[in-house]
Short mmCIF file of all heavy atoms in Angstrom, two decimals:
data_model
loop_
_atom_site.label_atom_id
_atom_site.label_comp_id
_atom_site.label_asym_id
_atom_site.label_seq_id
_atom_site.Cartn_x
_atom_site.Cartn_y
_atom_site.Cartn_z
N GLY A 1 8.38 13.11 18.28
CA GLY A 1 9.05 13.78 17.17
C GLY A 1 9.03 13.03 15.87
O GLY A 1 9.60 13.49 14.89
N VAL A 2 8.38 11.87 15.85
CA VAL A 2 8.25 11.09 14.63
C VAL A 2 6.78 10.95 14.26
O VAL A 2 5.95 10.60 15.11
CB VAL A 2 8.89 9.69 14.75
CG1 VAL A 2 8.63 8.87 13.48
CG2 VAL A 2 10.38 9.80 15.00
N TRP A 3 6.46 11.25 13.00
CA TRP A 3 5.12 11.06 12.46
C TRP A 3 5.22 10.06 11.31
O TRP A 3 6.33 9.69 10.90
CB TRP A 3 4.55 12.38 11.96
CG TRP A 3 4.13 13.30 13.07
CD1 TRP A 3 2.88 13.50 13.57
CD2 TRP A 3 4.98 14.20 13.82
NE1 TRP A 3 2.89 14.43 14.58
CE2 TRP A 3 4.17 14.88 14.76
CE3 TRP A 3 6.35 14.47 13.79
CZ2 TRP A 3 4.67 15.83 15.65
CZ3 TRP A 3 6.87 15.41 14.68
CH2 TRP A 3 6.03 16.08 15.60
N ALA A 4 4.09 9.63 10.78
CA ALA A 4 4.10 8.57 9.77
C ALA A 4 3.28 8.94 8.54
O ALA A 4 2.34 9.75 8.62
CB ALA A 4 3.59 7.27 10.36
N ALA A 5 3.64 8.33 7.41
CA ALA A 5 2.86 8.39 6.17
C ALA A 5 2.62 6.96 5.72
O ALA A 5 3.49 6.10 5.87
CB ALA A 5 3.60 9.17 5.10
N ALA A 6 1.45 6.72 5.16
CA ALA A 6 1.09 5.37 4.72
C ALA A 6 0.73 5.37 3.25
O ALA A 6 -0.04 6.21 2.78
CB ALA A 6 -0.09 4.84 5.54
N GLY A 7 1.31 4.42 2.53
CA GLY A 7 1.02 4.31 1.11
C GLY A 7 1.81 3.16 0.50
O GLY A 7 2.56 2.47 1.18
N SER A 8 1.63 2.99 -0.81
CA SER A 8 2.28 1.90 -1.53
C SER A 8 3.08 2.47 -2.70
O SER A 8 2.52 3.09 -3.62
CB SER A 8 1.24 0.90 -2.04
OG SER A 8 1.85 -0.20 -2.67
N HIS A 9 4.38 2.27 -2.66
CA HIS A 9 5.32 2.73 -3.69
C HIS A 9 4.94 2.11 -5.04
O HIS A 9 4.42 1.00 -5.10
CB HIS A 9 6.72 2.27 -3.27
CG HIS A 9 7.85 2.86 -4.03
ND1 HIS A 9 8.18 2.45 -5.31
CD2 HIS A 9 8.76 3.80 -3.67
CE1 HIS A 9 9.24 3.13 -5.72
NE2 HIS A 9 9.62 3.96 -4.75
N PRO A 10 5.23 2.81 -6.15
CA PRO A 10 4.90 2.22 -7.47
C PRO A 10 5.55 0.87 -7.72
O PRO A 10 5.00 0.05 -8.46
CB PRO A 10 5.38 3.29 -8.46
CG PRO A 10 6.21 4.26 -7.68
CD PRO A 10 5.71 4.20 -6.29
N HIS A 11 6.72 0.62 -7.13
CA HIS A 11 7.34 -0.70 -7.28
C HIS A 11 6.45 -1.81 -6.70
O HIS A 11 6.57 -2.98 -7.09
CB HIS A 11 8.69 -0.76 -6.56
CG HIS A 11 9.76 0.09 -7.18
ND1 HIS A 11 9.69 0.57 -8.48
CD2 HIS A 11 10.94 0.55 -6.68
CE1 HIS A 11 10.77 1.28 -8.74
NE2 HIS A 11 11.54 1.29 -7.68
N GLU A 12 5.57 -1.45 -5.77
CA GLU A 12 4.72 -2.42 -5.08
C GLU A 12 3.32 -2.53 -5.69
O GLU A 12 2.42 -3.10 -5.09
CB GLU A 12 4.58 -2.03 -3.60
CG GLU A 12 5.89 -1.99 -2.84
CD GLU A 12 6.45 -3.38 -2.63
OE1 GLU A 12 5.66 -4.33 -2.47
OE2 GLU A 12 7.70 -3.52 -2.62
N ALA A 13 3.16 -1.96 -6.89
CA ALA A 13 1.81 -1.88 -7.48
C ALA A 13 1.13 -3.23 -7.61
O ALA A 13 -0.06 -3.38 -7.30
CB ALA A 13 1.90 -1.21 -8.85
N GLU A 14 1.85 -4.24 -8.08
CA GLU A 14 1.24 -5.56 -8.26
C GLU A 14 0.75 -6.13 -6.94
O GLU A 14 -0.34 -6.69 -6.86
CB GLU A 14 2.24 -6.51 -8.91
CG GLU A 14 2.54 -6.17 -10.37
CD GLU A 14 3.52 -7.14 -10.99
OE1 GLU A 14 4.73 -7.02 -10.73
OE2 GLU A 14 3.08 -8.02 -11.76
N HIS A 15 1.55 -5.98 -5.89
CA HIS A 15 1.16 -6.49 -4.58
C HIS A 15 -0.06 -5.75 -4.05
O HIS A 15 -0.97 -6.35 -3.47
CB HIS A 15 2.31 -6.36 -3.59
CG HIS A 15 3.54 -7.12 -3.99
ND1 HIS A 15 3.58 -8.51 -3.99
CD2 HIS A 15 4.76 -6.71 -4.41
CE1 HIS A 15 4.77 -8.91 -4.38
NE2 HIS A 15 5.51 -7.84 -4.65
N PHE A 16 -0.09 -4.43 -4.26
CA PHE A 16 -1.22 -3.63 -3.80
C PHE A 16 -2.51 -4.06 -4.50
O PHE A 16 -3.55 -4.22 -3.86
CB PHE A 16 -0.95 -2.14 -4.06
CG PHE A 16 -2.01 -1.22 -3.51
CD1 PHE A 16 -1.98 -0.83 -2.19
CD2 PHE A 16 -3.04 -0.76 -4.32
CE1 PHE A 16 -2.96 0.02 -1.67
CE2 PHE A 16 -4.02 0.08 -3.83
CZ PHE A 16 -3.98 0.48 -2.49
N LEU A 17 -2.43 -4.26 -5.80
CA LEU A 17 -3.62 -4.61 -6.57
C LEU A 17 -4.11 -6.03 -6.29
O LEU A 17 -5.31 -6.31 -6.37
CB LEU A 17 -3.35 -4.45 -8.07
CG LEU A 17 -3.05 -3.02 -8.54
CD1 LEU A 17 -2.68 -3.01 -10.01
CD2 LEU A 17 -4.23 -2.10 -8.27
N LYS A 18 -3.20 -6.91 -5.93
CA LYS A 18 -3.59 -8.30 -5.67
C LYS A 18 -4.32 -8.46 -4.34
O LYS A 18 -5.09 -9.41 -4.16
CB LYS A 18 -2.35 -9.20 -5.69
CG LYS A 18 -1.82 -9.48 -7.09
CD LYS A 18 -0.58 -10.37 -7.03
CE LYS A 18 -0.04 -10.64 -8.43
NZ LYS A 18 1.21 -11.45 -8.38
N LYS A 19 -4.08 -7.54 -3.42
CA LYS A 19 -4.70 -7.66 -2.11
C LYS A 19 -6.10 -7.06 -2.15
O LYS A 19 -6.27 -5.85 -2.36
CB LYS A 19 -3.86 -6.95 -1.05
CG LYS A 19 -4.37 -7.19 0.37
CD LYS A 19 -3.39 -6.68 1.41
CE LYS A 19 -3.89 -7.04 2.80
NZ LYS A 19 -2.96 -6.58 3.85
N LYS A 20 -7.11 -7.87 -1.93
CA LYS A 20 -8.49 -7.43 -2.08
C LYS A 20 -8.88 -6.33 -1.09
O LYS A 20 -9.75 -5.51 -1.37
CB LYS A 20 -9.43 -8.62 -1.94
CG LYS A 20 -9.31 -9.65 -3.07
CD LYS A 20 -10.27 -10.80 -2.88
CE LYS A 20 -10.13 -11.82 -4.00
NZ LYS A 20 -11.07 -12.97 -3.84
N THR A 21 -8.24 -6.34 0.06
CA THR A 21 -8.58 -5.36 1.10
C THR A 21 -7.66 -4.15 1.10
O THR A 21 -7.69 -3.34 2.03
CB THR A 21 -8.54 -6.02 2.49
OG1 THR A 21 -7.20 -6.48 2.75
CG2 THR A 21 -9.51 -7.19 2.56
N ALA A 22 -6.83 -4.00 0.07
CA ALA A 22 -5.78 -2.98 0.10
C ALA A 22 -6.35 -1.57 0.27
O ALA A 22 -5.85 -0.79 1.09
CB ALA A 22 -4.94 -3.05 -1.18
N VAL A 23 -7.37 -1.23 -0.50
CA VAL A 23 -7.92 0.13 -0.42
C VAL A 23 -8.50 0.39 0.96
O VAL A 23 -8.24 1.43 1.58
CB VAL A 23 -8.98 0.34 -1.51
CG1 VAL A 23 -9.75 1.64 -1.26
CG2 VAL A 23 -8.33 0.37 -2.89
N ASN A 24 -9.27 -0.55 1.47
CA ASN A 24 -9.84 -0.39 2.80
C ASN A 24 -8.76 -0.33 3.87
O ASN A 24 -8.84 0.48 4.81
CB ASN A 24 -10.79 -1.55 3.10
CG ASN A 24 -11.48 -1.39 4.44
OD1 ASN A 24 -12.32 -0.52 4.62
ND2 ASN A 24 -11.11 -2.23 5.40
N ASP A 25 -7.74 -1.17 3.71
CA ASP A 25 -6.63 -1.17 4.68
C ASP A 25 -5.93 0.19 4.70
O ASP A 25 -5.58 0.71 5.78
CB ASP A 25 -5.61 -2.25 4.33
CG ASP A 25 -6.13 -3.65 4.58
OD1 ASP A 25 -7.22 -3.79 5.19
OD2 ASP A 25 -5.46 -4.62 4.15
N LEU A 26 -5.72 0.76 3.53
CA LEU A 26 -5.07 2.07 3.45
C LEU A 26 -5.95 3.14 4.10
O LEU A 26 -5.46 3.97 4.88
CB LEU A 26 -4.78 2.44 2.00
CG LEU A 26 -4.17 3.83 1.77
CD1 LEU A 26 -2.86 3.99 2.52
CD2 LEU A 26 -3.97 4.08 0.27
#
């Protein structure tokens, strides 16, 4: 009964951009 969504909140933008593998990981 539980499903998931994956993404990065705008507050986390700097962390997302700093991680070189972020796009591939997502």
